[in-house]
Amino acid sequence: MSASPAALDVLMHRRSDRHFADRPLEPGVAEALFEAFRWAPSSNNRQPWRLLVAESPEAVRAYDEALSEGNRAWATVAPLKLVLVGNPSEQPDRDGLQCFMLDCGLALENLLVQGCAMGLTAHAMVGWDAAKVIAGFSIPEPMRPVALIAVGYRGRVEDLAPAVREKDLRPRTRRPIDEIVVRDRFAAK
Ligand SMILES: Cc1cc2nc3c(=O)[nH]c(=O)nc-3n(C[C@H](O)[C@H](O)[C@H](O)COP(=O)(O)O)c2cc1C
């Protein structure tokens, strides 16, 4: 059986770019991302995720202010600002593994891949202040912000500050398959 070229092509060309265009998204674009997000698999189909959309000027300000300095240098331009929120009470841990995080990660990837397929750049971030995100969006206990996501069309990479531009011009790399795929058992040390 051959690998699906359709899925692989999008997966291999998706990238977390930072050069956003100051261009709004057409009607329906955000909804397609939400649709991809909600169709992610999750343990026991518990779907322990929410997606908060920063729309009002107050919410956008709270979003931008919560970003780390490094992320604020580029992410504020994005027209669609999302907060992925996980609910640990909707997905029990197993052997100390936070399963809600795994489910949220799958939903996040669905959204990133759908964004790429639609010609967008969708960029996940862990660089933000959790206390500011929780307070700014009134996230109730026990929910937890998991990732902020900036989405938009690509603009001109030349418009980025040099330090940020350099990141977007770097080639994407991955560990080779023979380093990450273990056959039968891990070798004894
Ligand atoms: C959960 C998660 C958090 C990330 N947080 C940040 C971040 O705070 N700032 C940033 O510039 N990039 C962030 N990234 C982007 C990664 O740096 C990027 O995915 C990685 O370098 C691989 O590049 P690629 O997505 O273009 O393949 C994050 C990615 C993921 C999946």
Side-chain angles (χ1 to χ4, degrees), residues 14-16 18 71 74 108 123-127 172 174:
R14 183 206 54 76
R15 48 177 301 153
S16 304
R18 297 165 182 81
N71 287 334
W74 55 269
L108 170 63
H123 195 137
M125 295 172 279
V126 288
R172 289 170 68 243
R174 289 297 188 267

Side-chain angles (χ1 to χ4, degrees), residues 15-20 71 74-75 77 121 123 160 164-165 167-168:
R15 48 177 301 153
S16 304
D17 278 326
R18 297 165 182 81
H19 52 290
F20 289 102
N71 287 334
W74 55 269
V77 184
T121 174
H123 195 137
L160 289 172
V164 185
R165 187 191 316 149
K167 291 182 185 172
D168 273 12

Side-chain angles (χ1 to χ4, degrees), residues 60-72:
V60 167
R61 196 174 323 117
Y63 192 98
D64 291 348
E65 283 174 5
L67 291 171
S68 66
E69 220 172 287
N71 287 334
R72 204 177 301 136

Side-chain angles (χ1 to χ4, degrees), residues 49-127:
W49 48 58
R50 305 289 185 280
L51 202 52
L52 189 144
V53 189
E55 287 181 332
S56 69
E58 296 74 33
V60 167
R61 196 174 323 117
Y63 192 98
D64 291 348
E65 283 174 5
L67 291 171
S68 66
E69 220 172 287
N71 287 334
R72 204 177 301 136
W74 55 269
T76 57
V77 184
L80 181 61
K81 299 175 183 210
L82 306 171
V83 183
L84 167 50
V85 178
N87 190 345
S89 71
E90 291 175 355
Q91 187 64 279
D93 293 356
R94 291 180 85 90
D95 296 329
L97 189 73
Q98 290 189 310
C99 291
F100 84 99
M101 289 292 282
L102 181 56
D103 297 338
C104 284
L106 291 165
L108 170 63
E109 174 70 346
N110 267 21
L111 188 153
L112 301 182
V113 170
Q114 178 64 24
C116 174
M118 294 167 72
L120 300 160
T121 174
H123 195 137
M125 295 172 279
V126 288

